[in-house]
Amino acid sequence: MNIKSMVICLASASTALLSAVAGADMTPLDDDTLASISAQSGIYLSGDVSINEFGGPLQNAYFGDCDDEAKRCGARLAFRVKEDGGWLVLDDLRGKFAFEGLTLRIREINDGFAGDGAAFDGHVLEVGLPNIVRYDDVRFTLGASSTARPTDPGFQQTNILNVQMQGNVVLEGNLLLFPTGNP
């Protein structure tokens, strides 16, 4: 599935969900009609995300009692950085953030980029950054770990950076995601 098809599917799913909530009727489109629609790809997203705002539900030898603020009870995201190497982790992730105006659309690149655009001559997914992201007590620890989970045998972790965010951050610009493989 190429990027354009993914965005059309995502836009169709979003439209279907919003229509169902609003009680509106939808008329299905056949493939020929859908293929003839152009310049319609793209969606506008707003959201409010909470991640373990009040700590996680776990209680064990590593995490301890999550009601104790000194304990680490937020979410954990672990990313293996090498096939046989260690893990990059976002640990004790918690808080709330909200955004309005994140956009997704298909963009054709066929010029620019110091001449590379003409050589590429294809479609990319353009992620338009929202103007303001609001953070409410968002915090996490960036670390390097020997294992994905703290309960795995041989676990050792080195915390590199602790982050706490509160308030508004202005984001401007676009992120272009270039496809790889067969179009």
Side-chain angles (χ1 to χ4, degrees), residues 67-142:
D67 291 333
D68 181 357
E69 275 296 312
K71 301 294 182 181
R72 299 162 45 152
C73 296
R76 178 181 176 94
L77 299 174
F79 307 93
R80 182 172 247 166
V81 293
K82 288 176 39 180
E83 186 175 337
D84 58 349
W87 296 79
L88 177 67
V89 296
L90 294 178
D91 202 3
D92 195 23
L93 178 61
R94 62 173 90 186
K96 294 188 328 185
F97 65 94
F99 60 90
E100 183 175 339
L102 179 72
T103 59
L104 300 174
R105 72 180 188 105
I106 299 297
R107 177 175 166 188
E108 185 175 359
I109 304 290
N110 56 14
D111 63 5
F113 296 91
D116 289 339
F120 176 73
D121 193 26
H123 292 92
V124 298
L125 176 63
E126 180 182 271
V127 180
L129 300 175
N131 187 28
I132 294 179
V133 178
R134 287 177 292 286
Y135 294 97
D136 183 11
D137 196 24
V138 172
R139 51 188 160 157
F140 63 88
T141 299
L142 176 67

Side-chain angles (χ1 to χ4, degrees), residues 5-181:
S5 298
M6 289 189 308
V7 169
I8 289 172
C9 288
L10 185 57
S12 297
S14 299
T15 302
L17 179 63
L18 292 174
S19 295
V21 171
D25 291 330
M26 288 188 60
T27 304
L29 298 175
D30 60 41
D31 288 341
D32 292 334
T33 304
L34 189 58
S36 69
I37 297 173
S38 64
Q40 298 292 319
S41 64
I43 57 176
Y44 179 96
L45 300 172
S46 297
D48 188 297
V49 179
S50 295
I51 301 173
N52 282 6
E53 182 181 359
F54 303 109
L58 297 176
Q59 181 171 347
N60 62 25
Y62 176 76
F63 287 105
D65 181 4
C66 289
D67 291 333
D68 181 357
E69 275 296 312
K71 301 294 182 181
R72 299 162 45 152
C73 296
R76 178 181 176 94
L77 299 174
F79 307 93
R80 182 172 247 166
V81 293
K82 288 176 39 180
E83 186 175 337
D84 58 349
W87 296 79
L88 177 67
V89 296
L90 294 178
D91 202 3
D92 195 23
L93 178 61
R94 62 173 90 186
K96 294 188 328 185
F97 65 94
F99 60 90
E100 183 175 339
L102 179 72
T103 59
L104 300 174
R105 72 180 188 105
I106 299 297
R107 177 175 166 188
E108 185 175 359
I109 304 290
N110 56 14
D111 63 5
F113 296 91
D116 289 339
F120 176 73
D121 193 26
H123 292 92
V124 298
L125 176 63
E126 180 182 271
V127 180
L129 300 175
N131 187 28
I132 294 179
V133 178
R134 287 177 292 286
Y135 294 97
D136 183 11
D137 196 24
V138 172
R139 51 188 160 157
F140 63 88
T141 299
L142 176 67
S145 178
S146 59
T147 63
R149 295 171 196 82
T151 54
D152 290 343
F155 168 75
Q156 290 183 329
Q157 181 167 311
T158 301
N159 292 338
I160 300 168
L161 180 68
N162 291 316
V163 176
Q164 288 186 317
M165 296 182 287
Q166 184 76 18
N168 295 336
V169 174
V170 176
L171 300 175
E172 295 176 339
N174 296 314
L175 171 68
L176 300 178
L177 299 176
F178 289 80
T180 60

